[in-house]
């Protein structure tokens, strides 16, 4: 009976083109967020804290037609999103919560000073699986107590301007990071990892 009550609290959240950051950011422990095919142009700040038994799962509705976060056209900080801190331009998606499992999404053209497709901020665990990071200032950045990236591709990440810090396909500055079964290639500057 307790298991049934616990399961009943979890939700399936569907995100479609035309939606904003609200649904994604509202996900709670045990929820599954499915993102429909299409192009999305807003920033996301994930702060919920899942558990090992109730992770927050965010995935492509159809892995054969991946959703695309494409922030081309203006700096990341200038796109809509709920987070208004001075570092809002540091990632198309920023994660301050934990126990997130993210899969099947393309992150591209997140360009801003020290920005990334995904930035993980002193948290964890976080798992990113089967994602593509292309033409961002950095593919991913951050620090986590347990950050796993697997079956993902990092292609041509690096800033497009000549000013600012060096940028890379992956830039990790602390914590425990595991990279496996992934393809890193053609960084614009800096290093693959």
């Amino acid at each position: 009976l307790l298991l049934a009550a616990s399961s009943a609290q979890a939700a399936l959240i569907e995100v479609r083109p035309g939606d904003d950051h609200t649904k994604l950011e509202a996900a709670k422990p045990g929820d599954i967020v499915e993102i429909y095919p299409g192009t999305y142009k807003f920033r996301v700040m994930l702060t919920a804290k899942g558990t090992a038994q109730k992770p927050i799962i965010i995935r492509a509705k159809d892995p054969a037609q991946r959703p695309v976060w494409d922030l081309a056209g203006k700096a990341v900080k200038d796109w809509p999103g709920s987070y208004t801190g001075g570092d809002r331009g540091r990632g198309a998606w920023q994660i301050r919560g934990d126990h997130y499992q993210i899969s099947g999404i393309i992150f591209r053209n997140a360009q801003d000073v020290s920005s990334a497709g995904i930035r993980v901020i002193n948290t964890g665990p976080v798992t990113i699986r089967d994602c593509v990071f292309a033409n961002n200032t950095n593919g991913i950045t951050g620090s986590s107590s347990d950050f796993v990236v697997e079956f993902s591709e990092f292609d041509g990440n690096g800033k497009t301007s000549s000013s600012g810090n060096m940028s890379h396909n992956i830039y990790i500055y602390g914590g425990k990071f595991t990279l496996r079964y992934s393809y890193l290639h053609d960084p614009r500057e800096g290093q693959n990892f």
Side-chain angles (χ1 to χ4, degrees), residues 5-33:
S6 175
S7 298
Q9 294 175 7
L12 174 62
I13 300 168
E14 295 182 328
V15 176
R16 300 171 189 265
D19 287 338
D20 64 10
H21 54 82
T22 310
K23 289 182 178 180
L24 268 167
E25 293 178 358
K28 295 181 177 39
D31 288 352
I32 297 174
V33 179

Side-chain angles (χ1 to χ4, degrees), residues 114-175:
S114 298
S115 194
I118 290 180
R119 176 187 184 213
V120 176
I121 308 160
N122 302 322
T123 188
V126 172
T127 299
I128 297 171
R129 180 178 296 116
D130 194 30
C131 289
V132 175
F133 298 84
N135 303 314
N136 303 291
T137 303
N138 293 279
I140 58 173
T141 63
S143 173
S144 170
S145 62
D146 190 5
F147 190 6
V148 176
V149 175
E150 58 188 11
F151 304 103
S152 294
E153 181 178 4
F154 295 81
D155 177 12
N157 294 288
K159 66 182 180 296
T160 55
S161 69
S162 60
S163 63
N165 295 329
M166 187 68 70
S167 56
H168 314 276
N169 268 331
I170 297 175
Y171 180 60
I172 301 300
Y173 48 83

Side-chain angles (χ1 to χ4, degrees), residues 65-94:
Q65 297 182 57
R66 298 172 187 226
V68 178
W69 247 260
D70 189 337
L71 299 187
K74 55 186 171 182
V76 172
K77 67 180 178 291
D78 296 330
W79 285 99
S82 68
Y83 181 59
T84 59
D87 61 345
R88 69 185 174 277
R90 298 284 301 275
W93 285 27
Q94 295 196 56

